[in-house]
Structure formats: structure tokens, C-alpha cells
Amino acid sequence: MQSLYDFNYEQIQQYALDQGWKKFRGHQIFQWLYRKRVQSIDEMSDISKECRDFLKENFIVNPCKIVDKQVSSDGTTKYLFELTDGALVESVLMIYDYGKSVCVSSQVGCNMGCDFCASGLLKKRRDLTSGEMVAQVLSVQKDLDETDDRVSHVVVMGTGEPFDNYEHVMNFVKTINHDLGLGIGGRHITISTCGIVPKILAFAQAKTQYNLAISLHAPNDTLRNKLMPINKAYPLEELMKALKVYTDLNNRRLTFEYILLKGINDQQIHADQLADLIRGINAYVNLIPYNEVDEHGYRSVDRKSAMVFYDRLMKKGIRATIRKEHGGDIDAACGQLRAKEEKKRMG
């Protein structure tokens, strides 16, 4: 059955009207879901029994069940969820000095085939619904409720390519951003893409407050073709043109995500090419330590090498950061925990 989380605020009000109920009934249901965070329709006590019975016949509340949870010594928490069809997805809670950030998956598996990525170890089975993404955040939020804390930031950077599931992702962020939903500010929500140009252009036209991050990971077409097959469909020149449209229409700063792979994309020439590629764009580079995946054989750079790369970018006038490592003592890479559990289930 469909989850009530699949409806954004306007959609649940329209649904109420379609059933011949008052529009306010949709408002009540939304309040129960996100302000009181009920887990069953029976808990919606100010809604008539007749209405609750109808909802129970047609909907569930939470489509996600926690089947595993790993907590790192730094507080990073990896959640493994089972969906109603038995599919598995992951989310990660990361703790920063500015708040609590949740990394959300957007698909069951991934078809982008990035050569270094654990997410692609298992091919895409299906897209997640917006409600299945909402449920990931709410499950983490329920844990934080116990200490009167809250999810302050959300990044759609887990398993899957968000812009390969564009409509559901946009519906999801609309719900968590809504004042009566989870009230997470638009500028605290980031959507990542490996470079699906038509959807970048659609996102540009939407003119939202959400942040856009580009999984780049290589500064030239030859290397990016090897690491990221999407580049063969949308090479760097085409990608950069689309990003220029985005920045012109939105006046928003871009993030370029760049995983440093030892001996592959971490040399001075790569830093120089990267600087040349993005110069003139309102953007910064987020350098990411690689969470090693045994099946791929790539290795992470050490801190000193990362600093050399960072310094080279800064000298070239490119703003950069080195992302703090999270969850080094657990299955932190996107898709790692899920792949492990799937192997276990296959026996």
C-alpha cells in the first residue's frame, strides 16, 4: 500500500477534497505525520473513526523498518532500512559543528556504474518513492527526538542518482522543507547529481533554494569516462554549459564533489585542470577522502597528499574544503552495508 508520506502538503489537502472531506482534514493528517510523528493511523485521535478506517484500508504510515544500525566512535550512524517489498536502502546521520545532517538514498541500487562506488555494486532495482525518502529522515529524527535534537541538514547523496528519480526527489524535498513538515531550510538541503544534463536544466528552471552538488571526481573527459560512464553521454563541455545556465538563473553557489583516489586523480596536473575547468563559476570544491571498497581496489590518499592538492587549488584561486572523514570504523561508504546484507541473504 502507498505511504501517507508520499503526499506533500498541497497533495494531501487535495486528496482530502477528492474524498469529499474538508480541506482541513488534509492539514490535520499532515500535522499528525510531521508534528506529532505518529506511526499508526489510529493515533490520529481528532480524526473521525470513519475517516481513519478509510485511511487504514488504503494507506500505511511508515514504509521503512530499521534492520541494522551501526554507530561510529565519532557519532556517525549508518541505518539500514527494509522497505515493504523487502528491498534494502541506507541512510547516514553525520554530526557537524553546525548541526545534524542526514544523507538519504534515492534509489534501490544504482545504474550509473561509477567505477569506484559501492552503491553500484548492486544494480538499480527501482526508484524510491518520495515517501520512502521522507521515511528515512523521519526514522533518524525519531531517534534524535529522544534527546530533543533535530535533523538540521539533508543531503540526497546516498545510493542512487537523484536526478534519475527527479520527480520523487523534488516531491521529497518539498515535504521536508515545508514549515508544517520537518521545516528544514531550503539552503540546508543539497541534491547531488553525477551530471544528467537535461535534469540539471529542469532544476535550473525550477529556481528553488536547494543547493546543487556535482559529483565530478575527474577534471578531463578521458579520466572521467573511465571513472564515470555518465560522462560518455554528457561530457564535461556539455555539463559545464548546463551548470552555467543554472548559475545564471539561480545565482546560487555550486559544490563540486571530488573524491581523491590515490594515483588516479590526485596529481598536481589534475588540480591544475580542475582549476581551469571551473574557474569563473560561483563554486567551491569539496575534496572527499575515499571510503575504500574492497571490490574496486581504489585507495584513499593520506592527509598530507590531500593538503597538497587543496593548496594547489587555493593558489589557483579556487575555493576548496577537505571534508571531515566520517564513520571510518563502520561500513561508511554508500552501499557498503546494504551490499553486505544482500550477500548474507543470498547465503
Side-chain angles (χ1 to χ4, degrees):
M1 284 196 292
Q2 187 178 10
S3 167
L4 286 171
Y5 294 152
D6 282 327
F7 294 97
N8 66 40
Y9 183 67
E10 290 77 20
Q11 288 169 341
I12 197 74
Q13 288 183 309
Q14 185 59 52
Y15 185 81
L17 289 174
D18 292 344
Q19 304 314 308
W21 306 334
K22 290 183 178 176
K23 192 177 182 181
F24 183 69
R25 181 58 48 82
H27 172 85
Q28 286 178 299
I29 294 168
F30 205 77
Q31 290 271 66
W32 279 110
L33 292 174
Y34 298 104
R35 284 289 172 256
K36 297 174 184 175
R37 300 202 254 279
V38 299
Q39 291 297 290
S40 76
I41 291 164
D42 282 327
E43 293 176 77
M44 300 179 182
S45 55
D46 62 354
I47 295 174
S48 70
K49 185 176 184 303
E50 181 185 19
C51 177
R52 277 181 281 148
D53 287 344
F54 175 85
L55 290 174
K56 283 192 293 183
E57 285 172 16
N58 292 280
F59 298 100
I60 58 172
V61 176
N62 192 347
C64 286
K65 177 178 77 176
I66 298 173
V67 294
D68 196 3
K69 191 160 76 169
Q70 294 183 348
V71 183
S72 170
S73 57
D74 63 14
T76 301
T77 305
K78 168 78 72 98
Y79 292 80
L80 182 66
F81 298 107
E82 184 176 48
L83 307 178
T84 53
D85 63 353
L88 298 171
V89 294
E90 298 174 347
S91 296
V92 184
L93 168 67
M94 293 167 289
I95 300 169
Y96 294 95
D97 53 5
Y98 55 75
K100 306 287 196 303
S101 180
V102 176
C103 181
V104 175
S105 292
S106 57
Q107 296 177 315
V108 181
C110 185
N111 276 347
M112 295 300 107
C114 297
D115 200 48
F116 51 83
C117 183
S119 295
L121 291 175
L122 298 167
K123 294 304 175 191
K124 174 184 160 183
R125 277 174 52 183
R126 65 175 177 86
D127 293 330
L128 293 184
T129 68
S130 57
E132 288 169 331
M133 287 178 265
V134 168
Q136 293 173 58
V137 180
L138 273 173
S139 295
V140 177
Q141 181 58 62
K142 276 178 57 94
D143 276 359
L144 293 178
D145 284 342
E146 295 176 12
T147 55
D148 291 323
D149 211 339
R150 68 182 294 267
V151 174
S152 60
H153 294 68
V154 168
V155 293
V156 192
M157 292 184 185
T159 299
E161 162 53 51
F163 278 1
D164 189 36
N165 187 17
Y166 184 82
E167 298 302 331
H168 283 140
V169 167
M170 294 303 285
N171 202 47
F172 155 67
V173 293
K174 190 171 186 180
T175 292
I176 63 169
N177 175 232
H178 199 283
D179 287 344
L180 296 175
L182 288 173
I184 297 170
R187 290 171 185 259
H188 290 177
I189 297 170
T190 301
I191 303 172
S192 173
T193 178
C194 65
I196 299 180
V197 165
K199 291 300 189 285
I200 291 172
L201 295 172
F203 187 72
Q205 294 293 335
K207 295 184 180 178
T208 69
Q209 291 295 303
Y210 313 129
N211 301 307
L212 180 62
I214 307 300
S215 295
L216 192 66
H217 311 311
N220 63 68
D221 281 324
T222 302
L223 183 53
R224 201 164 191 263
N225 285 345
K226 179 179 182 298
L227 294 177
M228 304 178 71
I230 190 70
N231 199 70
K232 295 170 187 173
Y234 305 111
L236 284 172
E237 184 179 358
E238 197 174 336
L239 174 61
M240 299 311 288
K241 282 180 183 173
L243 296 177
K244 178 76 163 55
V245 172
Y246 170 80
T247 54
D248 286 349
L249 286 175
N250 290 271
N251 195 29
R252 305 278 292 129
R253 185 172 72 162
L254 282 166
T255 302
F256 286 99
E257 306 281 349
Y258 195 97
I259 291 175
L260 289 166
L261 303 168
K262 187 174 182 178
I264 304 294
N265 65 353
D266 62 336
Q267 305 302 301
Q268 180 176 305
I269 189 172
H270 299 125
D272 292 346
Q273 290 173 349
L274 181 57
D276 291 341
L277 181 70
I278 69 175
R279 185 173 288 108
I281 296 177
N282 182 18
Y284 78 100
V285 178
N286 188 18
L287 299 171
I288 304 170
Y290 180 56
N291 282 311
E292 294 180 4
V293 179
D294 290 341
E295 289 86 346
H296 291 313
Y298 290 104
R299 292 291 170 251
S300 182
V301 301
D302 56 30
R303 180 75 183 179
K304 183 181 176 184
S305 299
M307 284 302 300
V308 168
F309 198 93
Y310 165 86
D311 287 340
R312 186 71 182 179
L313 287 178
M314 294 293 279
K315 282 173 186 168
K316 291 276 187 175
I318 302 299
R319 286 172 292 176
T321 58
I322 299 178
R323 191 166 80 182
K324 177 184 170 188
E325 291 188 66
H326 291 273
D329 54 340
I330 59 175
D331 295 308
C334 289
Q336 260 186 331
L337 183 57
R338 174 177 170 254
K340 243 187 206 181
E341 181 65 22
E342 291 279 16
K343 281 181 186 173
K344 207 189 299 177
R345 290 184 177 194
M346 289 187 289

